[in-house]
Amino acid sequence: MAEHRGERPDVRRQGRRASPEEARAWTELVAAARRTVADGLVVGTSGNVSVRVGDTVLVTPSGVPYDRLAPDDVTGVDLTGRQVLGALVPTSELPMHLAVYRATDAGAIVHTHAVHATAVSTLVDELPLVHYMASALGGPVRVAPYAAYGTEELAAHTLRALEGRSGCLLRNHGTLTHGAGLDQAYDRTAQLEWMCRLWLTASSVPGRTPALLTEEQVAQVGERLRGYGQPG
């Protein structure tokens, strides 16, 4: 959902003070939200980012440009949606974020309106296996049926599309990915947008059809990725 730009609300702190861990997490969340704009994954205040710290979920607030968020703007809710930190209204997509946290072991969530991914969401029910990096999201990426933003219906559609996956497309809307932390969730968002762009590019060549991988081939890569990178 686009969190529409408007006048910045007058902030008066409510609830308890943020812990040092929550304050650090908020700084990282704001940086990730600003990165979605810089990388062209959202426009203005569209999309939203959240991170879980214990039983508290820190979320981007509704309608506040990310470059104007400050340390004192920390916004947090518990897993029932009750606001426990800050006075800014949380993102309108809070039901979707909370549903994912309650149903998975996610530590962070990134939701964007990335152009290529949103375009693909209008064309197919599942992103064709055009690249092995689909394994980084658990396999073929599904498209959740359309529902109005901020609704429990959209949250339910999203959970079904995420079964066995760490990312999905939202029809005529955008993307949602989750990870153990913000870096992983963001990387999965970037990979998903790149794969969507790749498929759209390959599909646009007249008279040619992209070669696709099998689910078995993608699963094989998934096993290899578990040992990818530096130890420790």
Side-chain angles (χ1 to χ4, degrees):
M1 161 56 186
E3 303 289 359
H4 298 293
R5 183 182 298 271
E7 291 300 315
R8 193 175 187 280
D10 179 32
V11 178
R12 293 182 174 84
R13 183 160 304 284
Q14 65 182 34
R16 60 178 177 78
R17 295 182 63 84
S19 69
E21 183 180 7
E22 289 167 340
R24 287 192 296 271
W26 176 254
T27 298
E28 294 171 359
L29 180 151
V30 171
R34 291 173 177 171
R35 187 179 173 191
T36 63
V37 178
D39 289 352
L41 299 176
V42 302
V43 175
T45 58
S46 66
N48 25 79
V49 180
S50 67
V51 62
R52 182 172 179 173
V53 182
D55 290 331
T56 299
V57 176
L58 306 181
V59 295
T60 47
S62 179
V64 181
Y66 300 140
D67 61 358
R68 294 172 62 184
L69 289 174
D72 287 343
D73 293 332
V74 59
T75 304
V77 301
D78 64 20
L79 291 172
T80 70
R82 180 177 65 91
Q83 189 156 357
V84 296
L85 288 171
L88 294 175
V89 176
T91 172
S92 58
E93 295 286 18
L94 186 61
M96 183 168 63
H97 286 252
L98 292 179
V100 174
Y101 284 119
R102 289 192 292 257
T104 72
D105 60 356
I109 294 171
V110 176
H111 165 51
T112 79
H113 294 178
V115 172
H116 299 93
T118 304
V120 169
S121 80
T122 71
L123 299 172
V124 295
D125 294 325
E126 185 177 273
L127 175 62
L129 290 174
V130 71
H131 197 275
Y132 62 76
M133 281 306 293
S135 61
L137 286 92
V141 177
R142 307 181 189 101
V143 180
Y146 178 80
Y149 73 86
T151 62
E152 295 294 343
E153 182 183 12
L154 177 58
H157 288 334
T158 301
L159 285 185
R160 284 192 288 272
L162 283 174
E163 289 180 6
R165 305 288 185 269
S166 56
C168 69
L169 299 176
L170 309 175
R171 176 146 288 146
N172 298 91
H173 187 156
T175 69
L176 184 139
T177 62
H178 66 78
L182 281 167
D183 286 346
Q184 187 177 59
Y186 194 93
D187 181 67
R188 287 170 172 170
T189 294
Q191 292 286 357
L192 179 53
E193 167 67 356
W194 179 82
M195 286 189 291
C196 288
R197 183 178 182 182
L198 174 62
W199 181 72
L200 288 171
T201 301
S203 298
S204 69
V205 178
R208 302 299 298 270
T209 300
L212 301 178
L213 301 174
T214 65
E215 290 194 35
E216 290 74 19
Q217 288 172 320
V218 170
Q220 185 179 47
V221 173
E223 292 296 323
R224 294 177 64 85
L225 284 177
R226 289 189 177 91
Y228 180 77
Q230 300 300 313

